[in-house]
Amino acid sequence: MRDRVRLGVNIDHVATVRNARGGVHPDPVRAAREALAAGADGITAHLREDRRHITDTDIEALVALCAGSQRPLNLEMAVTDEMLAIALRHRPHAACLVPERREEVTTEGGLAVAGNEARIAPVVSTLKAAGIRVSLFIEADPRQIAAAATVGADVIEFHTGRYCHLQGQDQMNEFSRIRSGAESADQQGIEVHAGHGLDFATAARMLAIPHIRELNIGHFLIGEAVFVGLDAAVRRMRTVMDEACR
Ligand code: PXP
């Protein structure tokens, strides 16, 4: 039987709600603690350049929480000197390099690794030298996968946003693209993760791809928590994923 696929819970959206009122509630660190207790294998948080949701203080507290509970923290970060310095200071289990534009609502599309190898490779090697596992958030495009291998990424996370938005044949075509990309990355010794826009149905469908080792899910779980609570939402996702792997 296939190994358990890890679930990383992204708690950025809890911070978005907190920041809407500028106070301390709801606390993303409390959400992270609850998510771990409910069966999340790790926590994912994106410290954006504009600090629109997660703050530097949140990252400090999340590092402490994950260290204390011996679960991985996956720090999503732009490829900037500032973020590199922050990652080196905190040494999370993993860093996921993502594209970032201030005007976007969320991370719209994958990182352009191809063509930017000279900028990305030294960041990857500096993070790896500090003992941080490096993931690149990319589209399932053969050029990007080859470039990810060239710059020495340990992991690639496929952006599933497009898959989740498409329908019918277009969605099936995107699924095939992700499946081929996952096969190719696996053959090159790169671990494969996936995330963005996933819900119960799309997460289960993604797990038909045997090479996917981890899903990172935020928006849907935090939204679902409004109706059923975070504990129940995470537990349900864990069950859905386990059933999809049987
Ligand atoms: N993985 C990465 C790299 C992301 O940037 C995001 C969004 O912050 C996610 C996963 C989670 O996406 P969603 O919140 O749509 O589930």
Side-chain angles (χ1 to χ4, degrees), residues 2 59-60 62-63 75 83 96 104 107-108 144 149 153 167 171 183 209 246:
R2 177 178 180 180
I59 291 295
E60 267 176 46
L62 290 168
V63 167
L75 173 68
M83 289 302 152
C96 180
E104 70 191 358
T107 311
E108 293 163 2
Q144 300 301 342
Q167 291 186 337
Q171 191 182 50
E183 275 164 19
I209 301 173
R246 282 214 183 102

Side-chain angles (χ1 to χ4, degrees), residues 48-61:
R48 291 186 81 104
E49 203 186 1
D50 62 7
R51 309 301 198 266
R52 72 171 70 150
H53 39 54
I54 293 294
T55 65
D56 298 73
T57 310
D58 294 330
I59 291 295
E60 267 176 46

Side-chain angles (χ1 to χ4, degrees), residues 10 13-14 17 218-230 233:
N10 180 317
H13 302 285
V14 180
V17 176
H219 186 263
F220 173 77
L221 286 175
I222 304 307
E224 193 65 7
V226 171
F227 303 107
V228 302
L230 187 58

Side-chain angles (χ1 to χ4, degrees), residues 44-126:
T44 292
H46 185 178
L47 184 67
R48 291 186 81 104
E49 203 186 1
D50 62 7
R51 309 301 198 266
R52 72 171 70 150
H53 39 54
I54 293 294
T55 65
D56 298 73
T57 310
D58 294 330
I59 291 295
E60 267 176 46
L62 290 168
V63 167
L65 173 72
C66 288
S69 46
Q70 297 187 317
R71 303 283 183 88
L73 175 66
N74 175 31
L75 173 68
E76 292 178 5
M77 53 178 266
V79 185
T80 66
D81 293 343
E82 184 203 11
M83 289 302 152
L84 179 59
I86 290 171
L88 294 176
R89 191 159 70 244
H90 291 301
R91 295 178 188 244
H93 170 80
C96 180
L97 304 185
V98 301
E100 200 172 299
R101 286 183 297 116
R102 275 179 188 251
E103 63 275 19
E104 70 191 358
V105 176
T106 181
T107 311
E108 293 163 2
L111 186 67
V113 185
N116 291 303
E117 290 90 340
R119 169 87 187 105
I120 293 171
V123 174
V124 173
S125 58
T126 304

